[in-house]
Amino acid sequence: AQSVTQPDIHITVSEGASLELRCNYSYGATPYLFWYVQSPGQGLQLLLKYFSGDTLVQGIKGFEAEFKRSQSSFNLRKPSVHWSDAAEYFCAVPMNYGGSQGNLIFGKGTKLSVKP
Amino acid sequence: DTAVSQTPKYLVTQMGNDKSIKCEQNLGHDTMYWYKQDSKKFLKIMFSYNNKELIINETVPNRFSPKSPDKAHLNLHINSLELGDSAVYFCASSQQTSSGQFFGPGTRLTVL
């Protein structure tokens, strides 16, 4: 069965430092992969997605992620974190590959705190 | 313009009551979803609705019933509310799997 693992529950970084949030997936084929961000009290916003082609994908707010098939990973990165990046980050894969109903399976999320 | 909207944003009610949450999307998407986010922030799919086809997550109690009057709306009705129903409920929509889903702002339901 498809699954998503985010190994880090909570990460704290200093403002201006680089960031990497880990995501590992279990999937029967090359998956679609998504990263979402949830700011406190807000809904989820799509940061970026991968479904084919270049394995390094660029997203909004200066984020990027790299798909590594050999490691079953899709880690999210940002070279310099801003205080406004403090939020909960979710990695997700569709439940049914190729299906029209792309119900998402989410990881348990990584909470990012940013120190001044 | 709001892409996916939900009402109400907050809902506080007593156990045993029946309540509804409304969702509307103006993106022209064919598929809409309801997710539940628990107190630990874990998100789980409840339903998806695509062109009049309802896909139900088997773990969802039958007290929960989605209703879609048209492609742009997917409402969630909950009967006989229980304490464990307290959560944030998110509506989402998508056109196709590869494009990702667009989420509403959420409805925080508190059952007393």
Side-chain angles (χ1 to χ4, degrees):
Chain A
Q2 292 89 333
S3 65
V4 178
T5 302
Q6 293 180 246
D8 305 305
I9 296 172
H10 189 184
I11 285 181
T12 301
V13 299
S14 298
E15 191 167 16
S18 64
L19 170 71
E20 183 169 30
L21 301 181
R22 296 183 291 165
C23 173
N24 294 98
Y25 65 88
S26 171
Y27 210 82
T30 301
Y32 299 143
L33 291 155
F34 306 92
W35 273 101
Y36 285 85
V37 60
Q38 183 179 23
S39 297
Q42 303 295 315
L44 283 84
Q45 183 180 21
L46 180 64
L47 278 177
L48 48 76
K49 59 191 177 187
Y50 170 81
F51 57 91
S52 68
D54 194 345
T55 56
L56 184 64
V57 294
Q58 302 296 321
I60 62 171
K61 305 185 180 188
F63 284 91
E64 65 178 26
E66 187 171 12
F67 169 61
K68 292 186 177 180
R69 186 194 308 273
S70 61
Q71 299 177 18
S72 297
S73 68
F74 187 56
N75 294 348
L76 182 71
R77 301 195 294 246
K78 187 168 184 178
S80 177
V81 169
H82 188 261
W83 64 266
S84 61
D85 293 324
E88 193 91 21
Y89 291 80
F90 294 94
C91 183
V93 296
M95 191 176 287
N96 299 308
Y97 174 71
S100 59
Q101 290 94 14
N103 302 342
L104 292 176
I105 300 172
F106 284 88
K108 294 190 175 181
T110 298
K111 182 177 180 179
L112 173 66
S113 298
V114 180
K115 291 190 300 186
Chain B
D1 288 340
T2 302
V4 182
S5 59
Q6 295 178 229
T7 54
K9 189 169 176 63
Y10 300 97
L11 184 54
V12 181
T13 187
Q14 300 287 331
M15 264 196 317
N17 284 350
D18 303 338
K19 291 292 179 185
S20 293
I21 306 171
K22 295 185 177 182
C23 177
E24 177 181 2
Q25 55 97 2
N26 63 7
L27 298 166
H29 289 166
D30 288 333
T31 307
M32 296 184 72
Y33 311 82
W34 278 106
Y35 289 86
K36 179 180 180 180
Q37 186 175 47
D38 64 22
S39 59
K40 296 184 178 180
K41 301 280 188 179
F42 183 56
L43 280 152
K44 191 169 184 181
I45 183 71
M46 298 177 71
F47 305 100
S48 64
Y49 208 96
N50 176 272
N51 290 329
K52 300 183 181 181
E53 181 182 5
L54 174 65
I55 307 298
I56 298 174
N57 183 323
E58 293 178 358
T59 64
V60 177
N62 57 16
R63 298 182 294 104
F64 290 78
S65 54
K67 289 181 170 54
S68 181
D70 54 58
K71 197 174 77 166
H73 297 84
L74 182 63
N75 303 324
L76 183 64
H77 188 75
I78 316 169
N79 290 325
S80 302
L81 278 155
E82 300 177 357
L83 293 176
D85 298 332
S86 295
V88 181
Y89 293 84
F90 286 100
C91 178
S93 72
S94 71
Q95 186 57 27
Q96 54 192 8
T97 303
S98 62
S99 62
Q101 295 180 14
F102 293 83
F103 282 76
T107 296
R108 180 173 293 278
L109 171 65
T110 303
V111 183
L112 303 175

